[in-house]
Amino acid sequence: MEPTSPESQDIDMNFQPDCDQVYPEPPPRLAARIYRKSSARRKSSANSSRRSSLSSIHSHSSNRSSHGGPASTHIAQHLRRASIIESRKARLADRAAHAEQVRLRAAAAKAARGVSYSEEKALAAQAAREKMLAEITARCEEEVRRAKKIAEETKERKAAELAKLKEEMAEKFAEAARRKSIYQQGMRRPRTTSLASVEEKKVSPSALKQSSRGYAAKVIQRAWRSYRSHKITTDFAALELDLNRARTLSFEDLTRLLSTDKTTAMTTRLLKHIGVLEDGQEHAGAVRIFLSAYLILSHPVQALSHGGNQPHEQELMTKASALVGAFESHMKIKAPKSRRDTSTTTRDALCFAFNDFSATFHAWKSQDMGVLVDIMVNSFVNLDLILQATKDDQEGHVAQDYLDAVRQEQIKLLARLKRLAGPEEALSRVRTAVRKARKQRVAEQRPDRIDQVPRASTPVNDSSMTVHGAPITPPATPQPYQRERDLKSTTFANDLGQIMTVLPSNREIAHEILINGSFEVQQRPWTDARKDLMMSLRSSMRSSMQDGNSEAAATWTHAMAILIREKVMNLVSRRHPLYDRFDGILDPTLISQQCRNGMFSYNAFFETISRLLAQICSPGRDELVQAFANNTTSDTIDRLFDVINIIDLMTLDHINFQFRLAAQAVLERGHEHEIASFEKDLRDGVHTLERTKHWWSSSKANVSANTSGSVVYARGLTDLVLRNTHLCHRDLPETLQLDYIRLLKWRARAFHMIATSSVLLTTKIRLRRNRESLWAKDAERLMSLDLLSTDVSRVVSLIESSHMMPETIKEGLSNFVGRVLPPAIAAAKNADTAERDRQDAVHSQSDYHPSEDEPTIAGDVFTEQIASFLLKSLREHVFARLSATGTAERVRTTTSAGEILARAGMPEFLEEVNLLVDALDRIRSVDLKAHGKWYDQVAAEVS
């Protein structure tokens, strides 16, 4: 058999069917290239990728093996795939369980942490909200205050512009009316057909209208005024007084030029002609102030205290420059037509500049001299205290030496004070300071006394202090001792008795005890009438003693014995051991015989009377009696008046002791005395109830309908004291006539409080402080001022001493104080005038009729809006407290008083308001208890 050739084999292989073909396995080296491992062909970075997984490789290999590949069998592939899937499921289940545990732990931690975090977040949000609200509130308050301030300034500016515009329009209308009247009164040609020029020349002069006498007079007056104006201007120009020339002159030459009578006279005439000086204005002082502007501008170093370096001095120089500039600008207008057009504007500017400079000049002058005046007044007071301390030392003529030296120094100080502050102001300040210092010295030297009970005096039984019939006090002028008296001696004794303290009526004393509870009579200050009487008595007695007239001396001594006997015998009873000794020593007949025979010894009399007075006086007067006994070198007349003064004080001590014994009886039955007295006055026609009816109807109209009588009374009483109109005695009901002066004093105190609170509130607003802040020290210092001797600069300086403020605010505050202080001063003057009139009536032993002695000062009305608002707020608060009916309402109004006053702008005056309410409540209780039935009658008639 022949071997088959390769060509034949190839041909056979090609012709066989495909399904029967068997492909041989390639060699290993080629299979390695062709059949590469799956890991070598593709390797992904993800281990979980399906194409790189074992199952994918197994599927691929099994697919190939099913088509004739060299891989494992199909069953082995499925088993391997199943094991891989199971392992993956187990791994995924573990991972899911772990993730669930992590998720649960995270949720628990988040829930636990979320509660505290929410609370902290809420608290932080609340704090941030409160802080933001506080900031917004502060900003809003600041904006509101600023807006209010701008609105007020705008309102004031518009009001000023409107007033100025009205004045200008009025002047223009007046000028138009004047020109119209002149034009109508002038000669005018009647309306006729115009003539030819040739014919006009031929018109007869007699055809023209003749001028009237009135028109001729006006023409003459106009010419005279023009001549007079030219003459005044020319005379002033002859002085060659202008700013440039003033600067070239020396300070002494300029002072000499300005102080001459010619310069003053010419300047006065010019300023009056221009219209700067008014008719009621003081010309001399205003002219000096005007001329001082040249001196200040030309020589500020010599004219001003600090050479113009202080702010107030710089302001003064600025105002002086404006005044001089306006004056010289006005004087440069010479043409009549231009003067007529611009004179009004320049004159207004000049008047404004002059008023502004005058106000600034007075403020600078008072500020510069205030400290100097205070120092000089204090020096005067210190000298007076030295004099008071040494006046009783007669050894070695020490008192006389001090008297001469002190008097000379006081005369010099007083002369300088009069030049600086004016005569009246200097004397007023010196008197007030000296009186205050002496009172303080006496109060410091006076020992504390609790009960000034006279020694060995017979106490008065309470039953004797009856209200009806018997007097409450011992008679001011006791029954005369039954002896024969000389008529002239009796007259002198009465004159001496007038210098003693005179007691008010029993009705007034009972009323004071009912209101105060513990009323005491004090030695009243001497009125002018008493001072004049005392000086005349001293001079008459001294002249009688020095002339050697024994008859006149005996008459005076007899009168003195009568007076001392009458006063002393009232201090001891007949059962007293010293009664017979006083009766023997003070026998007027015996003393008169001794004086006529020249046997009376004043030294022995004073020694004896001092020993006896020391045994019956109260312990508080021991020092005074001992000082009188030791003073043996004084004048006889002075010692006599000292004895009378000691007896007067002892009498007052005895009377006050009796008042304390009778106080309880008066408190229980005193209203019955007032009921009887008031009923008797009605019956005798002394007064009626007309004023009470009018007062009650007015009070009822100011409250709501169907209110109780207590509320109507509270309304009326509150309006009497705190209304913003002048309080006259005719406005007071007849039932409150005994409380007239007391109501005036409380009204003055309330107005002082309102003025002080207005000043403090305005200062707080201007300085942008809280209006409810407490300025207690400032309020206390302002309330301690004596309004009768207080000026605007003093108030502003007190506030400025504790609160720094710019000059603009200080100037505005000064203007405000100048507007709000006069009503309070007027109220204080009204109360002081009424009190002095009542004291004069008591000392003269006459009836006091306020309707006849009505104070003439009617300026106690506030016109400032802030003061009126504070007064209204105080009035409503006091009315609410007085009209409170139940205990709970009274407690509520009392406890909320501080908050109400703080909201009103016067938180510093809670104690003062409480005192005012307590005083009005006491007046109401006493008045209703004494006049209740008449109030019921009036209320029924009014209803």
Side-chain angles (χ1 to χ4, degrees):
M1 182 174 182
E2 293 181 350
T4 306
S5 61
E7 291 83 359
S8 62
Q9 291 179 0
D10 293 333
I11 294 171
D12 293 338
M13 291 174 61
N14 292 332
F15 286 97
Q16 287 180 356
D18 294 336
C19 61
D20 296 334
Q21 289 180 1
V22 178
Y23 295 101
E25 189 75 20
R29 56 184 181 82
L30 296 177
R33 295 182 179 180
I34 298 173
Y35 302 102
R36 293 181 180 178
K37 296 181 179 180
S38 59
S39 60
R41 290 197 307 268
R42 181 176 180 176
K43 187 176 182 180
S44 176
S45 61
N47 295 328
S48 62
S49 177
R50 186 177 182 278
R51 299 187 63 180
S52 61
S53 62
L54 295 177
S55 61
S56 178
I57 298 173
H58 175 69
S59 301
H60 185 70
S61 60
S62 62
N63 189 19
R64 285 191 300 113
S65 62
S66 63
H67 291 83
S72 301
T73 62
H74 187 67
I75 295 174
Q77 291 178 358
H78 278 282
L79 291 175
R80 190 181 302 110
R81 182 181 180 186
S83 62
I84 292 171
I85 290 173
E86 291 296 329
S87 63
R88 173 179 286 181
K89 286 182 179 180
R91 188 169 60 253
L92 291 175
D94 295 338
R95 183 178 297 175
H98 177 70
E100 183 66 18
Q101 292 178 359
V102 171
R103 186 185 65 80
L104 292 176
R105 288 196 301 271
K110 182 178 181 181
R113 185 175 64 254
V115 177
S116 60
Y117 179 75
S118 299
E119 294 178 354
E120 293 176 358
K121 187 175 181 181
L123 294 175
Q126 181 67 20
R129 181 173 177 272
E130 293 178 353
K131 182 178 179 181
M132 185 179 296
L133 289 176
E135 293 176 354
I136 293 173
T137 303
R139 288 197 298 269
C140 290
E141 291 179 354
E142 185 68 23
E143 292 296 329
V144 168
R145 286 195 296 268
R146 189 179 296 109
K148 285 184 178 180
K149 181 180 179 181
I150 294 174
E152 292 176 356
E153 293 177 352
T154 305
K155 184 178 180 181
E156 293 177 356
R157 186 177 67 256
K158 288 184 177 180
E161 292 175 356
L162 181 60
K164 184 177 180 180
L165 182 61
K166 288 182 178 179
E167 292 178 356
E168 292 177 356
M169 292 298 295
E171 292 177 358
K172 289 182 180 179
F173 285 138
E175 180 66 18
R178 185 184 65 81
R179 295 176 62 186
K180 181 180 178 180
S181 62
I182 294 174
Y183 177 76
Q184 290 176 350
Q185 294 176 3
M187 182 180 64
R188 292 182 297 170
R189 182 175 61 83
R191 292 187 177 182
T192 57
T193 305
S194 300
L195 301 176
S197 59
V198 178
E199 293 179 356
E200 286 183 358
K201 295 180 181 179
K202 297 179 180 180
V203 174
S204 176
S206 60
L208 299 177
K209 185 178 180 180
Q210 296 295 331
S211 300
S212 62
R213 294 178 61 87
Y215 177 73
K218 289 183 179 180
V219 173
I220 295 173
Q221 289 176 358
R222 190 183 303 116
W224 164 249
R225 284 194 293 266
S226 178
Y227 168 74
R228 182 172 175 271
S229 175
H230 179 71
K231 183 71 166 56
I232 292 174
T233 307
T234 305
D235 292 343
F236 183 80
L239 297 175
E240 298 181 357
L241 179 60
D242 54 3
L243 188 58
N244 296 329
R245 183 170 181 267
R247 289 174 177 172
T248 58
L249 296 176
S250 63
F251 179 75
E252 291 77 11
D253 295 339
L254 181 60
T255 305
R256 193 179 302 108
L257 173 64
L258 297 179
S259 60
T260 57
D261 296 337
K262 181 180 179 181
T263 304
T264 304
M266 293 297 101
T267 308
T268 303
R269 292 180 59 189
L270 180 63
L271 294 181
K272 290 175 63 177
H273 172 68
I274 294 174
V276 176
L277 295 181
E278 299 178 357
D279 295 336
Q281 190 175 2
E282 183 183 357
H283 295 164
V287 170
R288 285 195 296 268
I289 292 175
F290 175 79
L291 294 176
S292 64
Y294 289 95
L295 192 64
I296 291 173
L297 290 178
S298 57
H299 302 283
V301 179
Q302 292 85 354
L304 302 177
S305 302
H306 302 279
N309 297 325
Q310 296 295 327
H312 57 277
E313 294 180 348
Q314 294 177 359
E315 182 182 4
L316 181 64
M317 294 178 63
T318 303
K319 300 297 175 60
S321 177
L323 173 61
V324 173
F327 175 73
E328 294 184 352
S329 298
H330 183 76
M331 295 302 297
K332 289 180 181 179
I333 304 175
K334 296 183 178 179
K337 293 184 179 180
S338 60
R339 175 177 290 275
R340 187 181 303 113
D341 297 335
T342 59
S343 60
T344 303
T345 304
T346 55
R347 184 175 65 252
D348 293 342
L350 178 60
C351 293
F352 178 78
F354 178 72
N355 294 333
D356 197 8
F357 174 73
S358 299
T360 308
F361 182 84
H362 287 301
W364 164 76
K365 184 178 179 181
S366 61
Q367 185 174 2
D368 268 13
M369 293 192 304
V371 178
L372 181 59
V373 170
D374 291 339
I375 293 174
M376 295 172 66
V377 169
N378 292 333
S379 301
F380 192 95
V381 171
N382 293 333
L383 292 174
D384 182 77
L385 292 177
I386 293 173
L387 190 62
Q388 294 296 322
T390 58
K391 68 178 183 179
D392 296 331
D393 189 0
Q394 300 295 335
E395 298 181 0
H397 301 283
V398 176
Q400 187 63 34
D401 295 341
Y402 270 101
L403 178 62
D404 297 338
V406 168
R407 289 304 183 196
Q408 292 178 3
E409 194 65 27
Q410 285 182 339
I411 290 173
K412 295 179 182 178
L413 287 174
L414 190 58
R416 295 182 61 189
L417 281 172
K418 288 182 178 180
R419 287 196 302 268
L420 292 177
E424 296 182 358
E425 180 68 18
L427 291 176
S428 176
R429 296 188 64 174
V430 167
R431 288 171 182 170
T432 304
V434 170
R435 189 182 302 112
K436 184 177 180 181
R438 289 183 179 180
K439 288 182 179 179
Q440 184 177 0
R441 179 176 178 271
V442 172
E444 292 175 355
Q445 293 181 353
R446 181 181 301 168
D448 297 335
R449 49 193 178 96
I450 301 175
D451 291 327
Q452 300 297 338
V453 182
R455 294 192 185 98
S457 61
T458 305
V460 181
N461 192 6
D462 290 347
S463 60
S464 64
M465 303 300 292
T466 59
V467 178
H468 298 287
I472 297 175
T473 65
T477 304
Q479 295 296 328
Y481 192 73
Q482 300 300 327
R483 289 179 182 271
E484 295 182 356
R485 301 178 183 180
D486 184 72
L487 180 60
K488 191 173 182 180
S489 299
T490 305
T491 304
F492 291 158
N494 294 332
D495 293 339
L496 286 172
Q498 291 182 7
I499 68 175
M500 309 281 286
T501 301
V502 183
L503 298 180
S505 63
N506 292 339
R507 184 180 180 183
E508 293 177 330
I509 293 174
H511 186 73
E512 294 294 333
I513 293 177
L514 287 173
I515 289 182
N516 298 332
S518 58
F519 174 71
E520 290 187 356
V521 181
Q522 302 297 332
Q523 198 170 32
R524 299 180 182 272
W526 284 7
T527 60
D528 295 336
R530 289 186 68 199
K531 291 179 181 178
D532 296 338
L533 176 62
M534 187 196 68
M535 296 303 296
S536 63
L537 290 177
R538 282 177 180 266
S539 60
S540 299
M541 294 177 68
R542 186 170 283 107
S543 61
S544 299
M545 297 292 183
Q546 292 177 355
D547 293 340
N549 190 349
S550 60
E551 183 65 25
T555 303
W556 278 113
T557 307
H558 184 262
M560 175 265 299
I562 292 175
L563 175 65
I564 295 177
R565 179 185 180 81
E566 290 178 352
K567 300 299 180 182
V568 173
M569 298 306 283
N570 281 324
L571 300 178
V572 294
S573 64
R574 290 184 178 273
R575 295 172 294 179
H576 198 280
L578 297 178
Y579 183 84
D580 294 333
R581 295 194 61 185
F582 277 111
D583 190 18
I585 294 174
L586 298 174
D587 188 1
T589 305
L590 179 61
I591 293 177
S592 179
Q593 292 176 358
Q594 290 178 353
C595 291
R596 287 187 175 89
N597 297 328
M599 299 175 59
F600 184 79
S601 174
Y602 281 100
N603 293 330
F605 172 78
F606 289 143
E607 182 179 0
T608 305
I609 199 69
S610 64
R611 288 200 305 268
L612 295 178
L613 291 178
Q615 300 181 43
I616 64 172
C617 69
S618 61
R621 308 300 180 189
D622 286 341
E623 186 176 354
L624 184 62
V625 176
Q626 185 63 32
F628 170 76
N630 296 335
N631 185 16
T632 58
T633 58
S634 296
D635 186 20
T636 301
I637 307 302
D638 295 334
R639 298 196 69 188
L640 175 60
F641 277 87
D642 291 342
V643 169
I644 295 175
N645 184 53
I646 293 174
I647 295 175
D648 189 17
L649 293 175
M650 291 174 60
T651 304
L652 295 181
D653 293 339
H654 187 74
I655 292 172
N656 292 330
F657 173 69
Q658 292 180 348
F659 283 167
R660 286 194 292 272
L661 295 179
Q664 188 61 33
V666 174
L667 291 175
E668 294 177 357
R669 308 292 297 275
H671 63 282
E672 298 179 1
H673 179 62
E674 174 59 23
I675 291 173
S677 301
F678 192 83
E679 192 171 15
K680 183 178 180 299
D681 291 344
L682 286 176
R683 189 168 55 251
D684 296 341
V686 177
H687 56 73
T688 60
L689 293 177
E690 293 299 327
R691 289 185 299 179
T692 305
K693 293 177 183 178
H694 177 71
W695 173 72
W696 189 271
S697 60
S698 301
S699 302
K700 189 174 180 59
N702 292 331
V703 296
S704 57
N706 299 326
T707 54
S708 61
S710 60
V711 177
V712 176
Y713 185 91
R715 179 81 273 174
L717 183 61
T718 305
D719 290 343
L720 282 178
V721 180
L722 299 176
R723 66 180 184 179
N724 199 16
T725 55
H726 179 57
L727 178 62
C728 301
H729 184 264
R730 59 179 175 269
D731 299 332
L732 217 68
E734 293 85 352
T735 53
L736 290 173
Q737 59 183 352
L738 294 178
D739 297 303
Y740 173 60
I741 296 179
R742 181 177 290 102
L743 293 178
L744 282 180
K745 289 181 179 179
W746 279 112
R747 174 180 173 83
R749 188 66 177 177
F751 272 55
H752 191 182
M753 181 169 49
I754 291 299
T756 303
S757 59
S758 301
V759 172
L760 293 181
L761 181 58
T762 303
T763 307
K764 294 175 186 177
I765 294 175
R766 292 177 181 269
L767 294 179
R768 298 182 179 180
R769 308 288 176 84
N770 186 10
R771 61 182 299 174
E772 297 183 6
S773 59
L774 195 64
W775 289 9
K777 295 295 184 182
D778 300 281
E780 182 179 357
R781 288 190 294 175
L782 293 178
M783 290 298 293
S784 63
L785 293 176
D786 186 9
L787 289 179
L788 300 180
S789 60
T790 302
D791 53 356
V792 176
S793 59
R794 179 62 175 168
V795 176
V796 177
S797 63
L798 285 178
I799 300 177
E800 188 184 12
S801 62
S802 55
H803 303 281
M804 298 298 297
M805 61 183 70
E807 289 296 325
T808 55
I809 295 180
K810 181 182 176 182
E811 183 178 358
L813 183 61
S814 300
N815 296 333
F816 178 81
V817 174
R819 295 191 301 269
V820 79
L821 194 62
I825 296 176
K829 287 183 178 179
N830 285 336
D832 184 69
T833 303
E835 177 64 24
R836 284 190 285 104
D837 292 340
R838 188 178 72 88
Q839 289 182 5
D840 291 339
V842 171
H843 289 310
S844 60
Q845 298 183 3
S846 60
D847 295 332
Y848 171 57
H849 301 288
S851 58
E852 299 175 359
D853 302 330
E854 185 68 37
T856 58
I857 302 173
D860 52 342
V861 178
F862 286 111
T863 57
E864 283 295 317
Q865 183 178 3
I866 186 171
S868 302
F869 170 78
L870 290 179
L871 183 60
K872 181 180 179 181
S873 302
L874 178 62
R875 182 170 63 250
E876 297 303 322
H877 171 68
V878 173
F879 168 67
R881 293 180 64 175
L882 290 178
S883 61
T885 54
T887 304
E889 187 177 359
R890 285 196 294 269
V891 171
R892 180 182 58 80
T893 55
T894 304
T895 53
S896 61
E899 183 180 356
I900 293 174
L901 294 176
R903 286 201 305 266
M906 44 191 308
E908 301 87 1
F909 300 96
L910 176 60
E911 185 177 355
E912 290 285 343
V913 173
N914 291 336
L915 294 176
L916 174 61
V917 173
D918 293 339
L920 294 181
D921 188 53
R922 290 196 302 270
I923 293 173
R924 176 180 62 176
S925 60
V926 174
D927 187 28
L928 291 178
K929 193 174 182 180
H931 309 102
K933 66 176 185 178
W934 287 285
Y935 282 124
D936 295 338
Q937 176 184 346
V938 169
E941 293 178 4
V942 171
S943 299

